[in-house]
Structure formats: structure tokens, C-alpha cells
Amino acid sequence: MCGIFGIVGHPEAANLTYLGLHALQHRGQESAGIVAAEGDTLRGHREMGLVADIFSADVLGKLPGTAAIGHARYSTAGGSHLRNVQPLQVAWAGGGLAVAHNGNLVNGQSLRDELEAQGAIFQSDADTEVVIHLIARSRKETLEERIIEALGRVQGAYSMLFLAGQKLVAVRDPYGFRPLVLGRHKTGYVFASETTALDLIEAELIREVEPGEMVVLSSDGGLTSRQVFPVARLGRCIFEHVYFAKPDSVLFGSSVYEVRKELGRQLAREKPADADLVIAVPDSGVPAALGFSQESGIPYDVGLIRSHYVGRTFIEPQQSIRHFGVKLKLAAVRQVLKGKRVVVVDDSIVRGTTSRKIVKLLKSAGATEVHLRISSPPTAWPCYYGIDTPSRHELIASSHTVDEISRYVTADSLGYLSMEGLGAAVGDRNSSTFCNACFSGNYLTGDLVTPVPRPQLELVYG
Ligand code: AMP
């Protein structure tokens, strides 16, 4: 997954992009990059690592200019290599061009095969590079027309920023899978994956970039917008609300915090538990746990403390490290838990490894019963639109019942939120404007997705 940010009309464009990426760091912790434009000259810096470690004052000082785009990445398509770090930057017949992409193209590989057969040489494994080749090959006159033609050939999820000199172009795919907002700062405009980045730089939210829309900020300070792709069916990612986005953001028009709290309230109504206290798996489970507590009347307390000095356990590559990581990340508060029947609320179960560790941790800290409540339905299908989920056979819910999962994680009970409950919490009971493929297997670009073999996952209980 990724966070993207772009700004024009500011004398310290790279510095503000750095701040914007910092606010979006939760969307990708593997690598980051900024490309700034001074006049028509693009200069970029990309590295593996966290935004704050990559961009020193020295590095930012080498990125002068009044326009910039930036990207914070966790790889979904293309491996974890420096050559894949975005923004991708090229020099082509039309001048310098930099691209930052959040999302995943489902036909990226087939387009790449086609382009390679025609002689194209790729510099990265990123699906985004396909778009650059298509732009360069287009016979259309303007950059905007070339982008439209190129994106007309790709399928899948893209919120994209293109920087060419002082011109910044933003496009969102017609499903609107990934978020993208437009804001205004004192002397120009800004784009960001989430509103939290606007808040940090004290920019004012204007609106979302609409699905299928292209917004162009030109060098004279003008803003133009066009609907370039028709919208047949919206597919805004529901998992952004469940887990991915930052709770202080306003996403797809709703407060992430309020939605998560409502998920918890709904969960308490659907899957009540007889318990003494409600605790959260921090940080992502906190708003839902508060909602659960308010709805059920069971007091909320802090039973788990998260260390902020380790990354998200999920992104550790090795199973052995991930096991270890849960203990590194979460500590149980014995004084709160001892002798208590506890409801513990988390946002999702992926492989089940984290939940199992947490239940054991709570019991060894003295909890007499642990009732696990999940503020989303079972995650049974991988995401092809930009969220990093493992393959289907690694998803515990793809091949196990709720009872089996409960037994595996050693909980006294396990309850997931229903699909309807999830829909209701985001204000769309049938999820007709959302993509919920990770829970339903209903892929909106279905025919293009390679069929997945029957899942198999052997669990060791106890
Ligand atoms: P697992 O041990 O694989 O079941 O991991 C479950 C935990 O990972 C939950 O606490 C979620 O908050 C978190 N999680 C779910 N999806 C993702 C994701 N795509 N990236 C990182 N963490 C995730």
C-alpha cells in the first residue's frame, strides 16, 4: 500500500511534501521518495526506509522548486528494491515526468508483456511503469490526453499524481478504490491520499478527487477538472475504513474515527459478550473497542500497551520474526487484566498469528476469559487493488470456520461483524458503493483476476 502527496505554488514544495509523507507514513513504511520541480527541471531522491530517516535537511536542500510530488511505499506489485521506489522519474520526448501511484493494476503484467514484445525496456518491476511507457508511446498531443489514453488501457486501482515541470495532474480510477483529496494552502493547491496530511501542513480540504476525474494544476496557478472515465460502479475500499486509514482522516466523506466507533457499536449489538471489561488491540482496534464499550455498557480499559518503536508486525517477512514481533509490540497490563473476563477488540484477523499470541498473552497476564471480537467480517480473499494481503491459502478464514479459528487462537469465544453491519457503519448497508472483495470475493474487475486454487492451511491447535 502507499501514500501519495503533491503540491504546487509553494516556495518550499519539497519540505511540505516531506511533512505530508510523514503524515501518510502509516500507508507504507518500506521506502519513500520526493521529486521536486524548479521550473522545468525535476530533481528526485528515493530511498528504502522511513520518511524521517531518508529526508535530512541536506537531502531536502537539494530538492528546490515550487512544485513536488512524493510517495511512501509498501510493495504490493514489484519487489522491495530501490529500483521500484517511487515517484518513478523519466526523461522522455516531452521532457521530465515523475509519477506517484497508490493502487494496483490488475492487467499490469499483460500490458508489460505486450510492451516488452514491442521492444520496451523496463527499469523497474513496478506496474506503474507500464503507464509511463503508454504515455510515451501515445500519439496524442498534450500530456493530459496522453495520460487519459494510457490510463484508458489499464484496469484496477489507481490514484495517481503526475508531475511535469510546474504542471501537476491527478487522476483517480473510475471505481475510486483508493482515496485522494484536493486541498488548498496559502499560495496554491495540494493533493494527498488522506486529509491527515492536509491538516499537518495547515491546508484546507476542498473535496475528494472524484472517481474517474482528472484534476490539472497548471503552472499559471489555474485548476481545471474533467470527468475522463465514466463511473459504472463505485468500489471505494471498505478496508481503508476498517484498518488502513488514519482515524483522524475524513475518508470517502466520512470520519474514519466515527466509522470505526460505529463498527464497534454494531459489533456489540451483533456479537455481545458477558464480560467485565473491554480492551482494544492498539492502535487500530481502539475506536471500535470504545464503540463496543459504549454500546454494551461494559467498561473500557487499557489492557494492552503498544510499543511505538517497532513497525507493524504484519510487514515482517518471515513467519518466525512475526511470532516474535507480537511480543515486541504488545505488552499486557497485569493489574487491569487479573481475574477479569475480557472482551478484546481488533479490526481483522489475517493469518491468525497475532490473535493467537494476544489471547495467550492476556491469559498469562491473568485474564480468566478472553472473548475476541473483530470489527469486520472474516478476511477470506486477497486484495488485488493495493492492500497487502497474503495469498489466499495463508488467510485463515479462507479455509476455516469461525469455530475453528476460535479454537486455533484459543479464545473463549470469537465474533466477527456481519457484512450488513459493516455496510451499515459506512452508511451503505449493501456496500453498493464500496469494494468489499477481501470479505466477499466479489472482485469488481473480476474477469481479469487469475483464479485462485483451493486454499489449504493446516492449523496446529492448542
Ligand atoms: P495476523 O496475525 O496475520 O492475523 O494479523 C492480524 C493483524 O494484522 C491485525 O491486528 C490487523 O490489525 C493487522 N492487519 C490486517 N491487515 C493488514 C495489512 N494489510 N497490513 C498490515 N497489517 C494488517
Side-chain angles (χ1 to χ4, degrees):
M1 188 44 114
C2 307
I4 59 176
F5 184 91
I7 187 162
V8 291
H10 198 287
E12 287 186 80
N15 275 316
L16 288 203
T17 304
Y18 161 73
L19 290 173
L21 291 183
H22 197 75
L24 299 172
Q25 182 78 82
H26 61 287
R27 299 183 65 87
Q29 303 94 34
E30 196 176 82
S31 63
I34 296 176
V35 173
E38 187 181 34
D40 283 339
T41 307
L42 298 188
R43 294 183 189 88
H45 185 87
R46 285 160 284 265
E47 260 185 62
M48 306 302 292
L50 296 174
V51 174
D53 299 331
I54 297 171
F55 294 101
S56 60
D58 231 25
V59 169
L60 288 169
K62 290 178 185 140
L63 302 173
T66 50
I69 62 172
H71 191 272
R73 173 172 192 259
Y74 180 69
S75 53
T76 46
S80 172
H81 307 292
L82 189 56
R83 65 174 178 277
N84 293 333
V85 180
Q86 297 198 23
L88 298 181
Q89 188 184 341
V90 294
W92 66 298
L97 179 67
V99 184
H101 172 200
N102 175 203
N104 235 33
L105 306 179
V106 291
N107 63 342
Q109 189 57 49
S110 61
L111 285 171
R112 187 186 176 112
D113 294 344
E114 181 188 316
L115 288 160
E116 282 180 337
Q118 292 164 9
I121 297 171
F122 279 77
Q123 309 267 352
S124 75
D125 316 320
D127 55 0
T128 314
E129 198 182 339
V130 162
V131 178
I132 295 178
H133 282 268
L134 292 172
I135 290 171
R137 276 154 192 257
S138 169
R139 298 261 176 267
K140 300 283 186 194
E141 208 151 294
T142 64
L143 176 65
E144 290 89 317
E145 290 304 324
R146 283 171 179 254
I147 292 172
I148 294 166
E149 188 175 84
L151 291 178
R153 294 211 54 206
V154 308
Q155 286 278 350
Y158 55 84
S159 283
M160 273 192 184
L161 297 176
F162 300 85
L163 181 67
Q166 298 298 305
K167 181 185 281 184
L168 178 50
V169 181
V171 191
R172 195 162 162 221
D173 71 68
Y175 295 96
F177 284 111
R178 298 286 144 230
L180 188 63
V181 291
L182 168 68
R184 196 193 332 260
H185 61 84
K186 279 195 190 99
T187 50
Y189 293 99
V190 54
F191 293 109
S193 294
E194 289 181 39
T195 59
T196 182
L198 305 191
D199 292 337
L200 178 62
I201 65 158
E202 296 179 346
E204 176 201 342
L205 171 68
I206 300 177
R207 62 177 176 84
E208 281 189 54
V209 174
E210 296 296 333
E213 186 189 18
M214 170 184 268
V215 179
V216 183
L217 307 178
S218 52
S219 47
D220 60 7
L223 181 152
T224 54
S225 141
R226 295 157 64 182
Q227 188 70 27
V228 289
F229 300 115
V231 176
R233 155 72 154 96
L234 286 179
R236 304 172 299 168
C237 171
I238 212 157
F239 198 67
E240 292 264 0
H241 265 307
V242 169
Y243 169 78
F244 214 82
K246 221 156 133 199
D248 55 295
S249 284
V250 174
L251 186 95
F252 310 140
S254 309
S255 151
V256 175
Y257 179 76
E258 288 300 336
V259 165
R260 285 191 192 161
K261 224 164 158 189
E262 186 52 35
L263 292 172
R265 287 193 198 102
Q266 188 70 30
L267 185 59
R269 289 192 283 269
E270 289 183 11
K271 302 285 157 54
D274 203 7
D276 304 312
L277 59 100
V278 176
I279 67 165
V281 177
D283 292 326
S284 49
V286 172
L290 282 168
F292 195 106
S293 163
Q294 285 176 0
E295 183 68 25
S296 63
I298 304 171
Y300 175 84
D301 212 333
V302 178
L304 287 168
I305 305 289
R306 179 180 166 175
S307 163
H308 289 270
Y309 306 101
V310 284
R312 290 178 169 186
T313 54
F314 189 85
I315 66 170
E316 302 285 358
Q318 299 284 328
Q319 189 81 354
S320 55
I321 298 175
R322 198 165 46 245
H323 277 283
F324 188 49
V326 174
K327 280 193 201 148
L328 276 180
K329 187 167 133 181
L330 293 172
V333 186
R334 206 169 276 278
Q335 293 73 5
V336 170
L337 300 164
K338 199 160 187 287
K340 297 286 177 18
R341 296 169 303 157
V342 177
V343 172
V344 57
V345 181
D346 202 356
D347 58 89
S348 57
I349 298 179
V350 182
R351 296 178 174 89
T353 341
T354 310
S355 307
R356 186 174 154 97
K357 289 278 166 192
I358 288 169
V359 174
K360 288 180 185 244
L361 192 64
L362 296 173
K363 288 204 168 162
S364 68
T368 52
E369 288 175 25
V370 176
H371 301 276
L372 181 59
R373 294 293 178 270
I374 303 297
S375 61
S376 63
T379 306
W381 302 86
C383 180
Y384 294 103
Y385 307 124
I387 298 267
D388 169 58
T389 34
S391 63
R392 192 159 182 233
H393 77 274
E394 290 173 85
L395 295 171
I396 191 168
S398 72
S399 49
H400 292 84
T401 63
V402 174
D403 277 353
E404 285 168 340
I405 299 170
S406 181
R407 207 147 62 80
Y408 172 67
V409 301
T410 71
D412 292 282
S413 73
L414 168 63
Y416 285 94
L417 187 64
S418 68
M419 286 292 256
E420 299 68 38
L422 173 62
V426 296
D428 176 6
R429 185 165 278 278
N430 303 317
S431 298
S432 57
T433 61
F434 282 89
C435 170
N436 59 11
C438 51
F439 306 123
S440 66
N442 177 21
Y443 295 105
L444 298 177
T445 59
D447 49 325
L448 288 158
V449 175
T450 348
V452 243
R454 263 228 49 72
Q456 277 165 8
L457 180 70
E458 288 284 330
L459 294 186
V460 181
Y461 294 96

